């Protein structure tokens, strides 16, 4: 009997250890000497990077929200001439748990949104700013449109993620969007939604791959080329994921696919009262990850979101110089 109790205890301990996420890997003590950071009201620090025109003189102030597994070091494909022409100030920062930004213990769409607002205030960039999010990193843009619309001069969603459990969109459409992805990816997102406490184990176990091992199932040939150039450098991984994958990538997945407090189709136009500004959504017509019809549905329900469809472009459109410049020009005009 004692041996049975010990065996059960050992099994329970092993199960507990396998599903319990690790704490963040500590940052170096001199991290604030490595890159600029600001202290938030809750004691956390956010690391940031400023580019372009001086913020006190800039006509356009754009906060860039990096995508999944990326960081403030994302390469912006834009010329100095264009920055000067449109007088653009760029603010990039590591979202909570990425790079040199402290992790949030329970990151959500709302917490990411208020991180953006507080960072803007701490850096004194002004009462209004434009937010631009790409891919999975676009979910805080939806949050800004919901929670801080009065702070926006504009918003841009580039190949934005779809939460397959938004309640106000047709379930047949969201089901089709989910089925567009490889089966491994589908199950990973289901686990993130229904069993978020199990996600750490799901993504770290060695029995099966939680994502498709074949990049051609989710990326075009051009996407693969761009990924090799811009997203697979060792320094990006070392910087973006230096605190561990759970507080960065895993928490990103949970925040994206958990139940939100709102659906995008319920958003109100932040510029309906004569306030200057616009919202743009960019759809890449060869995107293998985002269902075009779902984006069309959102823009049909919210006609104040201007849909931009780009032919012969894949999911990594943001890394194409011509397309990125078009995105920025549209945001600035």
């Amino acid at each position: 009997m004692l041996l049975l109790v010990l065996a059960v205890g050992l099994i329970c301990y092993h199960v507990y250890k396998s599903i319990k996420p690790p704490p963040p890997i500590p940052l170096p003590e001199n991290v604030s000497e490595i890159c600029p950071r600001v202290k938030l009201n809750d004691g956390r620090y956010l690391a940031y990077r400023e580019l372009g025109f001086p913020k006190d003189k800039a006509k356009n102030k754009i906060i860039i929200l990096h995508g999944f597994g990326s960081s403030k070091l994302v390469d912006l494909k834009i010329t100095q001439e264009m920055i000067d022409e449109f007088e653009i100030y760029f603010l990039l920062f590591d979202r909570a748990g990425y790079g040199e930004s402290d992790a949030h213990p329970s990151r959500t769409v709302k917490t990411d949104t208020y991180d953006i607002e507080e960072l803007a205030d701490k850096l004194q960039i002004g009462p209004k700013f434009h937010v631009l999010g790409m891919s999975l990193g676009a979910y805080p843009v939806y949050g800004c449109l919901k929670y801080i619309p009065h702070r926006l001069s504009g918003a841009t969603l580039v190949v934005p993620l779809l939460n397959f459990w938004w309640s106000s969109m047709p379930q047949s459409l969201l089901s089709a969007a989910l089925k567009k992805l490889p089966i491994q990816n589908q199950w990973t997102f289901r686990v993130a939604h229904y069993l978020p406490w199990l996600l750490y184990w799901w993504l770290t176990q060695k029995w099966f791959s939680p994502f498709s091992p074949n990049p051609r199932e989710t990326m075009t040939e051009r996407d693969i080329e761009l990924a090799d150039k811009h997203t697979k450098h060792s320094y990006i991984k070392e910087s973006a994921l230096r605190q561990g994958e759970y507080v960065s990538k895993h928490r990103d997945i949970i925040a994206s696919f958990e139940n939100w407090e709102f659906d995008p189709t319920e958003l109100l136009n932040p510029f309906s009262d004569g306030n200057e500004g616009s919202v743009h959504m960019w759809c890449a017509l060869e995107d293998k990850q985002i269902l075009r019809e779902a984006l069309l549905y959102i823009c049909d329900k919210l006609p104040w979101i201007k849909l931009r469809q780009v032919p012969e472009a894949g999911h990594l459109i943001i890394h194409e110089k011509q397309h990125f410049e078009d995105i920025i020009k549209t945001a600035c005009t």
Side-chain angles (χ1 to χ4, degrees):
M1 184 65 180
L2 179 60
L3 289 176
L4 178 60
V5 171
L6 287 173
V8 172
L10 287 172
I11 292 172
C12 291
Y13 176 75
H14 176 74
V15 170
Y16 172 77
K17 291 287 287 184
S18 66
I19 66 174
K20 180 178 172 57
I25 299 170
L27 292 167
E29 292 184 3
N30 67 337
V31 63
S32 293
E33 299 174 11
I34 299 172
C35 65
R37 304 201 306 166
V38 296
K39 187 175 183 179
L40 304 181
N41 293 336
D42 63 5
R44 291 181 299 118
Y45 284 84
L46 290 183
Y48 65 92
R49 173 182 169 220
E50 297 173 291
L51 295 173
F53 226 70
K55 61 188 173 189
D56 58 337
K57 298 179 180 178
K59 180 180 178 182
N60 295 285
K61 300 171 183 180
I62 302 178
I63 300 178
I64 301 288
L65 306 171
H66 65 77
F68 181 66
S70 188
S71 77
K72 64 183 178 300
L73 299 179
V74 61
D75 187 19
L76 301 185
K77 294 294 182 181
I78 187 171
T79 64
Q80 186 62 48
E81 290 76 15
M82 184 175 169
I83 290 174
D84 293 340
E85 177 185 354
F86 290 96
E87 300 179 14
I88 309 170
Y89 161 82
F90 288 108
L91 173 60
L92 301 92
F93 72 102
D94 292 327
R95 294 190 287 109
Y98 279 102
E100 289 80 29
S101 287
D102 293 337
H104 192 290
S106 54
R107 181 151 59 99
T108 64
V109 175
K110 181 180 283 188
T111 65
D112 266 19
T113 299
Y114 288 122
D115 279 358
I116 294 167
E117 182 178 37
E118 191 171 351
L119 176 65
D121 289 340
K122 295 287 185 181
L123 295 178
Q124 300 180 337
I125 71 171
K128 289 184 178 288
F129 45 81
H130 190 111
V131 287
L132 187 157
M134 56 195 78
S135 188
L136 185 144
Y139 75 76
V141 176
Y142 284 125
C144 290
L145 290 166
K146 172 64 176 180
Y147 298 115
I148 58 168
H150 58 288
R151 299 300 307 272
L152 300 181
S153 61
T156 299
L157 302 114
V158 182
V159 293
L161 94 157
L162 299 167
N163 182 321
F164 309 108
W165 293 273
W166 285 330
S167 59
S168 296
M169 289 183 64
Q171 288 306 301
S172 59
L173 186 61
L174 292 177
S175 177
L178 181 60
K179 290 178 180 178
K180 182 179 177 74
L181 299 172
I183 189 67
Q184 299 98 319
N185 301 40
Q186 294 179 36
W187 279 106
T188 293
F189 298 149
R190 288 189 180 104
V191 170
H193 179 76
Y194 293 109
L195 303 168
W197 53 269
L198 190 62
L199 187 66
Y200 172 71
W201 173 83
W202 184 271
L203 293 174
T204 56
Q205 50 73 35
K206 306 300 181 184
W207 297 348
F208 52 83
S209 174
F211 293 104
S212 171
N214 181 4
R216 287 172 175 79
E217 289 192 287
T218 56
M219 295 193 290
T220 65
E221 292 299 325
R222 180 57 179 161
D223 282 339
I224 293 173
E225 292 177 16
L226 292 169
D228 288 338
K229 289 181 180 179
H230 300 289
T231 67
K232 293 187 177 180
H233 295 302
S234 60
Y235 81 88
I236 294 178
K237 182 174 182 180
E238 290 168 3
S239 171
L241 310 180
R242 65 185 305 167
Q243 297 182 70
E245 293 199 11
Y246 177 73
V247 296
S248 53
K249 294 171 69 175
H250 297 191
R251 289 298 315 181
D252 236 2
I253 295 173
I254 293 172
S256 297
F257 298 109
E258 66 183 355
N259 287 322
W260 292 13
E261 295 181 344
F262 67 95
D263 281 7
T265 55
E266 301 167 352
L267 293 170
L268 300 177
N269 183 359
F271 309 112
S272 59
D273 295 330
N275 298 322
E276 289 189 7
S278 58
V279 182
H280 302 270
M281 181 179 289
W282 291 78
C283 172
L285 295 185
E286 293 186 5
D287 194 334
K288 291 189 175 183
Q289 299 182 41
I290 307 299
L291 186 69
R292 170 178 173 269
E293 288 75 13
L295 300 185
L296 288 172
Y297 181 88
I298 294 172
C299 293
D300 182 60
K301 289 294 182 179
L302 305 175
W304 45 270
I305 297 182
K306 299 177 176 62
L307 182 65
R308 311 285 180 173
Q309 301 188 66
V310 185
E312 300 181 2
H315 192 69
L316 296 187
I317 180 179
I318 204 80
H319 294 297
E320 293 274 18
K321 182 177 182 295
Q322 182 59 55
H323 295 323
F324 183 70
E325 290 191 344
D326 288 343
I327 291 168
I328 296 301
K329 285 179 184 176
T330 302
C332 292
T333 55

